[in-house]
Amino acid sequence: MEKLVSLCQRRGFIFPGSDIYEGLSGCWDYGPVGVELKRNVKEAWWRSMVRERNDVVGLDASILMNARVWEASGHLTEFTDPLVECKNCHLRFRADNLESEKCPSCGGEFTEERRFNTMFKTFIGPVEEDAAVIYLRPETCQGIFVNFQNVLNTSRKRIPFGIAQVGKSFRNEITTGNFIFRSREFEQMEMEYFVKPGTDEEWFEHWLQARMDWYVKYGIRRENLDVYEHPKEKLSHYSKRTCDILYRFPMGFDELEGIANRADFDLTQHQKSSGKSMDYFDNEANEHYIPYVIEPSSGVDRCVLAFLCDAYDEEPDKDEIRVVFHFHPDIAPIKVAVLPLSRKENLAAVAKDVHAGLAPCFTTQYDDTQSIGRRYRRQDELGTPYCVTVDFQSLEDNRVTIRERDSMAQIRVPVATLRQTLTAKLAGENFSILPEGGTVVK
Ligand code: GAP
């Protein structure tokens, strides 16, 4: 993990939040490369959960919500963690994560355990009074539940159907840590899939499998994933059944995503609390009911961490070690780097033209600093699948070299077919299919 944190900082993936002020605990900033990686993760999720399906629609609800939402959802009373404080140094810990009865920092005694609500409070409007207290959402899904009727009435979807949302959530975690694994501000990718009661168990299995397949499709090794079934007595207040998808992080297997059967808990609570009907009329079955909900809920930042961990490799290369991220092409933050062999004007002009031709199609970097070997190494550390090298020969034959990240093999292709070749390669077509006139450079 230490290596990863330092590489992420050095290469512009992730920086500590408020860095020049010694940081802010549990907050992280995504740099120029990290922001691309994170966007790709969200994009891949959205594509598979919304765009490629006919039964799921999207939503982008407000982070700030009426405080009554959290009363109805049970968060005001239930969204708590057990907290103990050291009587000596006053450090606070989550009681359920402690390995000893003494403070790990100074050996002091702990206070009695108390429940600590992890929702962030703030005020709406200019007066800081009790009536103006609102909360930063601790999960995105409540925005989906309160919009259930709005979406149903406007989208013409019939059950079973889902509403998906990606956005920020905030939790005032007692302890944060393990890099971006547990932070106080993070993003979630949640989908609430509304089903007919009685079909919920089947749909639960469907979504658990679909979500496992998604991780594998984007390059996470199956042996690094596992499923943990929550025991009945430890389920969240809203859940009938929950399974976590676990990933083998450097600190051990831990939760990447939760799949929950929330039954009709949330819609019933909001119906009671708001007085607005959450009823659904099923024309096929000719009956009214409040739908059950299956929820796959994944953390964007935890996904980013899992993709970073899984893709990271240190490979012997001659007498050096090559550090490389073997990202799936859809996840890789930079798809193509254009590297002119020299900064000489005639070469730079051609390389800039090549870059301009590719930039509208792929996230592309132009790099003309340092030796070509060091630039390849740098792109390996960013996980860039392809580097395009423009050399003096290119001025004569209008061809450039494509260097592949994983095999380090090189092929020479005409500039005229470069975009097409890279498109095919990034779409996962066989690397050995050379464009007409392409030659393998050994
Ligand atoms: N709506 C259900 C829900 O929020 P959760 O298990 O509390 O369920 C879902 O959270 C996912 O959100 C987790 O599996 C994790 O990936 C992510 N997550 C939760 N708390 C987090 C935190 N403090 N930092 C980063 N990610 C977090």
Side-chain angles (χ1 to χ4, degrees):
M1 186 73 104
E2 271 167 34
K3 277 187 195 168
L4 200 65
V5 175
S6 124
L7 178 60
C8 281
Q9 198 162 345
R10 189 158 46 85
R11 287 295 180 215
F13 282 90
I14 300 163
F15 308 121
S18 312
D19 203 11
I20 59 168
Y21 292 100
E22 287 152 28
L24 179 67
S25 154
C27 299
W28 297 91
D29 296 343
Y30 287 77
V33 188
V35 70
E36 297 290 345
L37 172 62
K38 195 181 185 194
R39 286 174 76 125
N40 293 343
V41 169
K42 292 189 277 186
E43 185 56 34
W45 185 89
W46 194 262
R47 210 167 37 239
S48 83
M49 298 298 268
V50 183
R51 297 227 176 94
E52 289 175 1
R53 303 186 63 106
N54 194 29
D55 57 349
V56 180
V57 290
L59 182 77
D60 186 7
S62 178
I63 289 175
L64 301 177
M65 301 180 80
N66 192 310
R68 288 173 59 202
V69 168
W70 307 112
E71 203 181 304
S73 68
H75 282 76
L76 273 183
T77 49
E78 306 288 335
F79 202 63
T80 57
D81 282 332
L83 171 97
V84 288
E85 185 173 326
C86 171
K87 289 180 184 166
N88 182 39
C89 68
H90 300 289
L91 280 180
R92 292 172 169 189
F93 300 90
R94 250 181 86 157
D96 53 347
N97 283 350
L98 283 171
E99 280 164 14
S100 126
E101 307 224 315
K102 301 271 183 216
C103 169
S105 174
C106 73
E109 298 235 325
F110 287 128
T111 55
E112 283 292 301
E113 191 177 303
R114 70 179 172 89
R115 303 301 303 182
F116 172 74
N117 195 304
T118 55
M119 280 199 293
F120 276 101
K121 266 188 200 166
T122 186
F123 297 96
I124 191 151
V127 187
E128 295 195 3
E129 59 186 5
D130 285 354
V133 168
I134 57 162
Y135 302 89
L136 301 189
R137 67 181 179 201
E139 57 176 13
T140 57
C141 60
Q142 294 303 326
I144 296 179
F145 295 128
V146 302
N147 277 292
F148 171 67
Q149 290 292 6
N150 283 340
V151 175
L152 184 65
N153 294 335
T154 52
S155 69
R156 296 169 168 256
K157 292 290 168 208
R158 306 304 295 161
I159 272 170
F161 81 98
I163 307 177
Q165 169 159 237
V166 178
K168 290 258 178 172
S169 288
F170 303 83
R171 295 183 190 178
N172 196 4
E173 301 280 1
I174 298 168
T175 42
T176 57
N178 287 321
F179 196 23
I180 51 173
F181 178 82
R182 191 181 307 285
S183 49
R184 295 196 166 103
E185 174 177 341
F186 54 97
E187 271 187 275
Q188 289 184 311
M189 307 184 280
E190 300 201 295
M191 199 273 288
E192 307 305 311
Y193 199 74
F194 300 95
V195 304
K196 186 175 179 191
T199 63
D200 48 312
E201 282 166 27
E202 228 173 280
W203 279 111
F204 186 97
E205 297 300 334
H206 168 89
W207 283 110
L208 179 57
Q209 188 59 49
R211 293 302 304 144
M212 289 289 280
D213 293 347
W214 184 84
Y215 289 107
V216 174
K217 173 176 176 190
Y218 287 103
I220 303 279
R221 275 162 281 194
R222 180 62 187 82
E223 65 268 25
N224 288 338
L225 294 170
D226 207 350
V227 175
Y228 168 75
E229 172 101 38
H230 284 236
K232 282 252 173 307
E233 64 283 5
K234 289 205 171 153
L235 288 171
S236 305
H237 63 279
Y238 53 75
S239 176
K240 182 177 161 195
R241 182 183 175 197
T242 300
C243 284
D244 288 343
I245 297 180
L246 310 180
Y247 176 73
R248 194 200 304 265
F249 290 104
M251 66 281 184
F253 271 105
D254 215 328
E255 179 184 344
L256 182 56
E257 165 161 355
I259 317 287
N261 181 346
R262 298 179 77 121
D264 57 357
F265 177 84
D266 303 270
L267 290 182
T268 305
Q269 286 296 106
H270 288 305
Q271 174 167 289
K272 274 193 224 153
S273 189
S274 68
K276 304 281 172 0
S277 168
M278 295 294 160
D279 181 73
Y280 175 80
F281 178 64
D282 187 328
N283 347 34
E284 269 177 37
N286 197 24
E287 58 178 308
H288 289 265
Y289 53 79
I290 292 187
Y292 272 28
V293 174
I294 306 300
E295 172 192 74
S297 170
S298 178
V300 176
D301 311 79
R302 284 195 195 171
C303 275
V304 167
L305 185 57
F307 282 118
L308 283 166
C309 293
D310 225 82
Y312 181 88
D313 206 1
E314 292 174 5
E315 298 172 355
D317 178 28
K318 298 185 189 113
D319 38 3
E320 281 181 31
I321 295 288
R322 173 172 97 116
V323 172
V324 54
F325 282 117
H326 293 287
F327 293 124
H328 182 285
D330 289 358
I331 299 295
I334 314 292
K335 313 295 183 202
V336 183
V338 176
L339 313 174
L341 207 62
S342 119
R343 280 184 176 165
K344 289 226 165 74
E345 222 172 277
N346 51 351
L347 203 60
V350 175
K352 281 186 179 149
D353 265 2
V354 167
H355 177 257
L358 300 178
C361 304
F362 321 106
T363 315
T364 309
Q365 262 197 3
Y366 184 88
D367 185 5
D368 61 2
T369 59
Q370 303 178 309
S371 73
I372 190 70
R374 292 179 80 153
R375 279 183 276 164
Y376 282 151
R377 284 287 180 274
R378 183 171 175 275
Q379 292 302 330
D380 288 342
E381 290 188 355
L382 300 180
T384 307
Y386 298 105
C387 291
V388 171
T389 312
V390 183
D391 56 24
F392 290 101
Q393 183 70 26
S394 309
L395 302 178
E396 317 268 306
D397 64 3
N398 265 321
R399 283 166 182 256
V400 288
T401 302
I402 301 178
R403 181 253 195 194
E404 198 209 25
R405 174 196 68 199
D406 295 344
S407 64
M408 294 192 280
Q410 302 189 1
I411 59 167
R412 215 162 153 80
V413 299
V415 173
T417 59
L418 179 63
R419 198 155 81 181
Q420 190 188 325
T421 309
L422 288 169
T423 305
K425 287 182 177 302
L426 287 163
E429 288 172 34
N430 194 339
F431 188 70
S432 67
I433 299 172
L434 297 174
E436 214 181 317
T439 48
V440 177
V441 180
K442 291 274 178 199

